[in-house]
């Protein structure tokens, strides 16, 4: 299957998706979101893939939802089509997804990065939710996920002013896991992704599910969930193998990876 708005490659158990609408700074139009979901469906169902990386160009991860596509929509159109609800599916993926962000991650582009499990950024990355300057507001989870990630004061400031965060400030604020020189971003992200993909996939997916619980419910419910899922990991071969390998001082040979 070929795509018009992105490139899909496989690198040692890692699915690498590169957003590719350079003339529009990777603005997210409905075709790109549809193709991204198709690519992610494919990677999720491929047992040879243990981790996914989404990246853009050196200038832009994505400069937002496609303003030209949205500009003339009417309320009935946007309401009936549930415009961009397909983007929500990206956040519900079960395999881990890393966003490798260089350049602009604005509006829907920032929200796409926030839907991934963690963000590695190039030192030239810029994050922001400038929707209010267009007379609208973030709608792919930005007001919620940014607030969870940064706390109310910083999230509110960014949403109300449209100010952009540098990579360094984004890392300090906890939005970004690590910052690299731009020319090392992809190599470092693939290195981390391949490390994750070499581990037991059920354990990796359980970690993702459990950490995400912290965003979705109360602390007591999250703690109960974490305990239950920890109990269930003892039903896997990989738990026996991982712990035996430690005791026997040898590398683990995971069955499900
Ligand atoms: N949509 C469509 N086209 C875009 C977008 C965009 N978001 N961003 C850039 N482009 C296009 C430009 O129009 C331009 O095209 P052309 O050459 O045909 O004029 C091309 O990309 C290059 O852009 P610039 O010339 O502007 O490049 P600069 O380097 O001068 O500036 C910026 C780069 C600062 C990133 C600038 O392009 C910009 O401000 N872009 C818009 C950023 C923005 O406001 N993003 C938020 C969009 S709204 C949103 O994401 C809402 C999400 C919720 C949607 C859910 C709906 C239900």
């Amino acid at each position: 299957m070929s795509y018009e708005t992105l490139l899909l490659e496989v690198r040692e158990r890692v699915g690498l998706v590169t957003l590719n609408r350079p003339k529009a700074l990777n603005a997210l139009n409905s075709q790109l979101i549809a193709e991204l979901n198709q690519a992610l469906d494919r990677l999720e169902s491929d047992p040879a893939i243990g981790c996914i990386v989404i990246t853009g160009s050196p200038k832009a991860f994505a400069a937002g939802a496609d303003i030209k596509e949205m500009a003339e929509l009417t309320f009935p159109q946007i309401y009936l089509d549930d415009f961009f609800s397909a983007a929500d599916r990206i956040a519900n993926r079960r395999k881990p997804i890393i966003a490798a962000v260089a350049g602009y991650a604005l509006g829907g582009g920032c929200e796409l990065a926030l839907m991934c499990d963690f963000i590695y950024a190039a030192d030239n990355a810029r994050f922001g939710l400038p929707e209010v300057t267009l007379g609208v507001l973030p709608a792919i989870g930005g007001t919620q996920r940014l607030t969870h990630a940064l706390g109310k004061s910083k999230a509110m400031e960014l949403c109300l002013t449209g100010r952009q965060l540098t990579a360094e400030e984004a890392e300090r604020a906890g939005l970004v896991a690590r910052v690299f020189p731009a020319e090392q971003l992809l190599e470092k992200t693939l290195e981390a992704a391949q490390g994750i993909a070499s581990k037991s996939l059920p354990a990796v997916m359980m970690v993702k599910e459990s950490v995400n619980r912290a965003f979705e419910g109360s602390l007591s419910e999250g703690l109960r969930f974490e305990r239950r899922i920890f109990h269930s990991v003892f039903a896997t071969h990989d738990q026996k193998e991982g712990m035996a390998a430690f005791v026997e001082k040898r590398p683990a040979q995971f069955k499900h990876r």
Side-chain angles (χ1 to χ4, degrees):
M1 188 189 289
S2 67
Y3 305 93
E4 286 177 20
T5 61
L6 53 84
L7 307 167
L8 176 58
E9 299 163 65
V10 173
R11 307 238 190 130
E12 289 174 46
R13 296 187 51 76
V14 173
L16 173 62
V17 179
T18 306
L19 308 181
N20 189 31
R21 288 189 75 209
K23 287 186 185 148
L25 300 184
N26 292 331
L28 310 172
N29 63 2
S30 31
Q31 183 184 7
L32 188 150
I33 294 293
E35 291 190 348
L36 181 55
N37 271 317
Q38 286 161 16
L40 294 177
D41 284 345
R42 207 162 135 185
L43 295 170
E44 283 249 283
S45 62
D46 183 347
I49 297 296
C51 190
I52 296 165
V53 172
I54 302 179
T55 194
S57 73
K59 179 166 180 185
F61 177 73
D66 191 313
I67 300 168
K68 293 167 187 165
E69 190 181 62
M70 277 186 298
E72 297 302 324
L73 291 175
T74 62
F75 172 77
Q77 282 171 323
I78 202 161
Y79 181 77
L80 291 173
D81 291 355
D82 203 5
F83 192 65
F84 265 72
S85 67
D88 294 340
R89 287 187 56 216
I90 296 160
N92 295 325
R93 301 289 165 173
R94 299 181 73 209
K95 288 182 181 172
I97 306 182
I98 310 174
V101 175
Y104 296 111
L106 301 179
C110 182
E111 294 176 291
L112 172 60
L114 282 164
M115 277 190 258
C116 297
D117 296 309
F118 62 87
I119 303 173
Y120 278 176
D123 49 12
N124 74 339
R126 294 287 178 277
F127 298 86
L129 293 177
E131 284 88 341
V132 74
T133 63
L134 298 166
V136 293
L137 65 151
I140 323 177
T143 60
Q144 307 304 300
R145 291 197 181 93
L146 197 73
T147 308
H148 273 292
L150 304 184
K152 178 180 168 184
S153 184
K154 212 166 194 61
M156 191 71 94
E157 185 227 357
L158 294 176
C159 290
L160 288 177
T161 64
R163 182 172 79 83
Q164 294 176 16
L165 290 182
T166 62
E168 194 197 335
E169 192 181 355
E171 187 189 26
R172 250 195 341 263
L175 178 65
V176 156
R178 295 178 71 185
V179 178
F180 299 102
E183 63 282 3
Q184 292 176 17
L185 174 68
L186 193 57
E187 173 199 330
K188 294 289 186 189
T189 308
L190 287 171
E191 210 174 280
Q194 280 154 359
I196 292 168
S198 72
K199 297 181 170 59
S200 165
L201 187 55
V204 162
M205 287 167 61
M206 286 177 189
V207 167
K208 171 168 173 163
E209 203 180 347
S210 194
V211 172
N212 278 336
R213 276 291 165 123
F215 281 89
E216 289 159 10
S218 65
L219 177 62
S220 57
E221 194 213 333
L223 290 172
R224 242 189 326 272
F225 179 82
E226 180 191 72
R227 193 63 43 82
R228 287 286 167 263
I229 207 158
F230 181 76
H231 294 158
S232 70
V233 82
F234 280 71
T236 66
H237 164 277
D238 287 349
Q239 174 271 323
K240 299 286 173 294
E241 169 58 15
M243 291 191 173
F246 176 82
V247 173
E248 292 159 21
K249 300 187 190 300
R250 60 174 176 79
Q253 300 292 326
F254 292 123
K255 189 164 152 191
H256 299 290
R257 38 144 280 164

